[in-house]
Amino acid sequence: MRLLCLATLALAGCSTVPEPVASTNGIIDAHRHAFEQGMPGDTAAQTTERMDAHGIGISAIHFATRETYEEWGRGYEDRFLKGVSFPCWRDGSGEWFACQWDGAAYPDLEWLRDEAEAGRLTHLGELGFVYAGTHPADPEMMPYWDFAAEFDLPVMVHVNRGPPPDGGMRARGCCPNFDSDMGHPDLLRPILERHPDLRIVLQHFGFPPMPMFDNIGYVEESFALLHDYPNVMVDMTAFQSVPFVSAEQHAAVVRRMQEEGLLDRLLFGTDGWPEAEIIARYRAMDFLSDSEKRAIFHDNAQRIFPTRN
């Protein structure tokens, strides 16, 4: 898996190799969403304005329906990388909630194959196993892991035990089958044993044990996965933004990544949180060199996303 500008990557199964996207010197945001069905979110034009205001050149968008995947961002194709979020779930009334693929929990694989071969699909994710209460190695998931490996697509996975039901970050009516245990990073080990070269991004990395997460944290398990599998990467969305996590706590985890030689695995992402505050936090980390900051803001992401037309 390479990002938008590595010309050396050939997508397996494709009859032609897409031309690489022109590189950008701007920040690459590896974690954004396009919402519908009453969920908060910006239009593509509004999102682009926000990106421009903060020096973000490209954002990876995680779509939750086929309609938004196909329509959102039309006219701004050079600014967005397109991925698909699943497994989807039904709310307490039995209706699909902000996530469904033509009335199903999973997108159609043949359609995904067409999108990958055309160079439009650049990643899978966000995969929300905690929301759906689904194990990452569920038999229904296995063809999607195989597909990602075949096309060398990075897979963005929601890890950790949140968001909690009463913390203001889980949407109202969401997820009657929510299962915090499905956010354990060790559940990804069977997938990585099956596909050791697969690039998996652990989203929401870094949260320590906290009462809102049942005093359970997966920091050590996540670091172990990083050391065991050189293709595993992370973003620190929410941890770097939420009011109850200080800049000092955020910096301590980044410093540990530096000390353990893992800074080439850290991606910048916002998850829709205010961009300026996150960027300012990283820029204020005086223990990071300029090249290390550039890696976090841009170069690490540039390595992992595939080329496309």
Side-chain angles (χ1 to χ4, degrees):
M1 305 162 195
R2 309 277 112 148
L3 159 59
L4 31 240
C5 10
L6 285 194
T8 57
L9 176 69
L11 294 180
C14 296
S15 58
T16 60
V17 179
E19 292 298 321
V21 169
S23 180
T24 172
N25 290 321
I27 295 169
I28 298 172
D29 183 351
H31 188 161
R32 279 185 185 259
H33 295 271
F35 291 111
E36 60 168 20
Q37 299 180 10
M39 294 287 287
D42 292 336
T43 65
Q46 291 169 326
T47 299
T48 304
E49 288 178 6
R50 286 177 57 185
M51 290 164 58
D52 288 343
H54 299 98
I56 298 172
I58 289 179
S59 289
I61 306 292
H62 310 332
F63 293 94
T65 70
R66 184 164 175 170
E67 179 181 4
T68 52
Y69 174 95
E70 292 179 340
E71 298 298 330
W72 194 96
R74 194 177 293 277
Y76 297 89
E77 287 83 359
D78 62 330
R79 303 299 301 276
F80 301 118
L81 302 169
K82 298 172 72 171
V84 290
S85 295
F86 61 93
C88 297
W89 60 89
R90 298 179 187 270
D91 65 18
S93 72
E95 296 295 322
W96 290 107
F97 185 83
C99 176
Q100 59 90 14
W101 295 97
D102 300 319
Y106 294 83
D108 179 72
L109 268 171
E110 288 308 309
W111 173 69
L112 291 183
R113 180 174 295 276
D114 290 344
E115 291 299 301
E117 289 178 346
R120 291 185 292 267
L121 180 70
T122 64
H123 61 282
L124 299 187
E126 179 173 356
L127 302 190
F129 300 113
V130 293
Y131 292 101
T134 300
H135 194 290
D138 184 278
E140 199 164 3
M141 267 301 305
M142 299 314 292
Y144 294 90
W145 294 116
D146 295 344
F147 166 80
E150 177 186 352
F151 281 88
D152 208 15
L153 298 177
V155 184
M156 332 295 275
V157 180
H158 179 118
V159 297
N160 291 323
R161 300 182 62 79
D166 301 318
M169 289 178 285
R170 192 188 301 183
R172 184 174 55 191
C174 173
C175 331
N177 296 321
F178 192 98
D179 186 346
S180 297
D181 291 341
M182 295 300 100
H184 197 306
D186 280 353
L187 300 183
L188 299 170
R189 286 184 175 273
I191 309 304
L192 289 161
E193 291 169 7
R194 181 183 178 106
H195 297 296
D197 295 329
L198 184 65
R199 290 188 191 269
I200 293 180
V201 179
L202 309 182
Q203 298 177 305
H204 316 301
F205 164 78
F207 278 98
M210 305 174 73
M212 65 188 296
F213 300 139
D214 306 315
N215 290 313
I216 298 172
Y218 298 134
V219 175
E220 297 308 319
E221 294 87 344
S222 296
F223 269 104
L225 206 64
L226 286 167
H227 283 294
D228 290 346
Y229 292 95
N231 293 318
V232 172
M233 304 185 78
V234 301
D235 76 35
M236 299 181 73
T237 50
F239 178 79
Q240 65 200 1
S241 310
V242 291
F244 49 80
V245 178
S246 69
E248 290 74 21
Q249 289 172 295
H250 176 205
V253 179
V254 176
R255 185 186 289 274
R256 177 176 171 184
M257 293 191 74
Q258 181 189 55
E259 292 169 349
E260 297 187 19
L262 296 170
L263 278 184
D264 62 339
R265 315 284 196 84
L266 177 55
L267 305 178
F268 175 86
T270 64
D271 201 8
W273 292 83
E275 299 90 339
E277 298 173 14
I278 303 167
I279 293 169
R281 276 195 176 190
Y282 281 111
R283 287 182 172 156
M285 295 180 189
D286 57 8
F287 58 88
L288 294 176
S289 68
D290 289 344
S291 62
E292 287 171 332
K293 290 176 183 178
R294 177 177 171 80
I296 294 167
F297 284 137
H298 177 273
D299 295 351
N300 294 342
Q302 189 174 35
R303 289 200 322 274
I304 73 161
F305 287 101
T307 58
R308 63 176 188 181
N309 286 326

